[in-house]
Amino acid sequence: MSQPIPAPLDLIESGISLLDSFGASSWSLRAVAFTTAALLLVMRKSVGEAAGIEWHAFFHAAVTGFGAWACQILDDASREEWNGENGPGIDPGLDPCGGPPTSLHRLLPALTLGYSICDILDSLKLGPAFLLHGLATAFVMAVFCELEQATHLVTPMLLMEISTIPLATLRAKFYSETLRTGISLLFVFTFFVVRILWVPPIWFAIVKVLRNEKLGAGADSCQPLYLLPLVLIFGIFFNCLNGYWFIKMILKIKRKISGKEASSNVEMTE
């Protein structure tokens, strides 16, 4: 008789247990960021865009995007358990004073901090908006990694990397024109679902949790005074930037449909 397929939650918990068996819960986040930066820079230099794929961007997006999704699944399960036992209250996944629920919540921002070096280098040939994005990402992730006990509050924002997965493969040389069009549409769809619909409400929930904690605890708040305005400002910045890019994508699609732009042009944010 075949064995039952493990549920996603069981697989995620098993993966985190494996991480913890290597001591991930106590790894230095600075060391994780430095190691990630070194590995991805080597990948960027040695592999580059082999077969038309930005491998360093693809690898980072896959790990952090799906990793953040796994954290969200865990947070949703914890919320259901919490509400079932205690009634509505603080979401354990967004508790500003409870620290990261798992080592995965803790490590993902450090991985993105390491990748941000590549992001900044790549942005030098893509324009000011991309450079601002790279610099802002590096700054925000560095702040949260230094705080350590607040890293889980920025982890949900890494869900945005899910949409980067198809973007990093858009120039793959082995795609047919039909498949390339499909991947382009997949990128636009995931960008809209994740960056426009999914992440902003999570960010707003984090802002509310931090505000309520600040109002309730006052001077005894478990987080520094600057954390709430930082989360507010970086959220507004990234949400506005995503909205700007999405409008550009829609205008690009309209130009392609009208025949004003060649269908072979895959630069989705021009």
Side-chain angles (χ1 to χ4, degrees):
M1 177 180 282
S2 60
Q3 294 294 322
I5 299 174
L9 189 61
D10 295 332
L11 289 173
I12 294 167
E13 290 175 342
S14 296
I16 292 174
S17 294
L18 180 62
L19 270 177
D20 290 341
S21 70
F22 290 99
S25 60
S26 59
W27 287 348
S28 163
L29 296 185
R30 292 181 183 178
V32 170
F34 178 83
T35 303
T36 302
L39 291 174
L40 292 180
L41 285 171
V42 168
M43 182 183 293
R44 183 176 182 272
K45 181 70 175 177
S46 60
V47 180
E49 296 184 12
I53 295 175
E54 298 176 77
W55 290 103
H56 60 289
F58 175 80
F59 180 77
H60 166 262
V63 171
T64 55
F66 287 124
W69 193 358
C71 289
Q72 197 64 26
I73 291 172
L74 288 172
D75 292 346
D76 289 343
S78 297
R79 185 185 306 111
E80 291 178 8
E81 182 179 352
W82 173 276
N83 291 343
E85 294 179 358
N86 305 283
I90 292 178
D91 181 344
L94 298 180
D95 185 353
C97 301
T102 71
S103 55
L104 186 61
H105 288 76
R106 179 176 176 270
L107 292 176
L108 289 175
L111 298 180
T112 296
L113 175 58
Y115 169 74
S116 64
I117 305 301
C118 294
D119 201 23
I120 292 170
L121 292 175
D122 291 340
S123 70
L124 296 177
K125 59 182 180 182
L126 295 174
F130 291 89
L131 179 58
L132 276 174
H133 176 274
L135 292 171
T137 299
F139 174 74
V140 170
M141 294 302 153
V143 170
F144 276 93
C145 286
E146 286 301 307
L147 289 174
E148 286 234 19
Q149 289 304 303
T151 51
H152 61 297
L153 297 178
V154 78
T155 300
M157 301 298 101
L158 299 179
L159 287 165
M160 291 188 282
E161 293 301 325
I162 292 174
S163 67
T164 306
I165 298 172
L167 178 64
T169 70
L170 211 49
R171 300 183 190 85
K173 296 176 181 177
F174 50 84
Y175 284 167
S176 66
E177 283 305 310
T178 301
L179 182 56
R180 195 180 311 281
T181 299
I183 296 297
S184 298
L185 292 175
L186 177 63
F187 166 59
V188 175
F189 175 75
T190 55
F191 191 102
F192 176 69
V193 170
V194 176
R195 295 183 181 237
I196 305 299
L197 296 182
W198 192 4
V199 169
I202 298 175
W203 162 73
F204 188 65
I206 294 169
V207 170
K208 288 201 300 182
V209 165
L210 286 173
R211 177 180 175 275
N212 292 340
E213 193 277 333
K214 186 68 64 178
L215 290 175
D220 296 324
S221 173
C222 61
Q223 297 295 349
L225 291 174
Y226 61 79
L227 188 61
L228 176 56
L230 175 66
V231 171
L232 188 63
I233 292 169
F234 95 71
I236 292 172
F237 171 78
F238 281 106
N239 288 326
C240 288
L241 189 59
N242 287 332
Y244 166 74
W245 277 336
F246 186 68
I247 292 171
K248 294 191 73 173
M249 289 179 211
I250 297 302
L251 294 175
K252 186 178 185 71
I253 291 172
K254 289 179 64 176
R255 291 196 301 271
K256 284 178 176 288
I257 292 174
S258 65
K260 295 180 180 179
E261 182 175 320
S263 60
S264 57
N265 186 352
V266 297
E267 298 298 332
M268 294 302 296
T269 51
E270 281 187 347

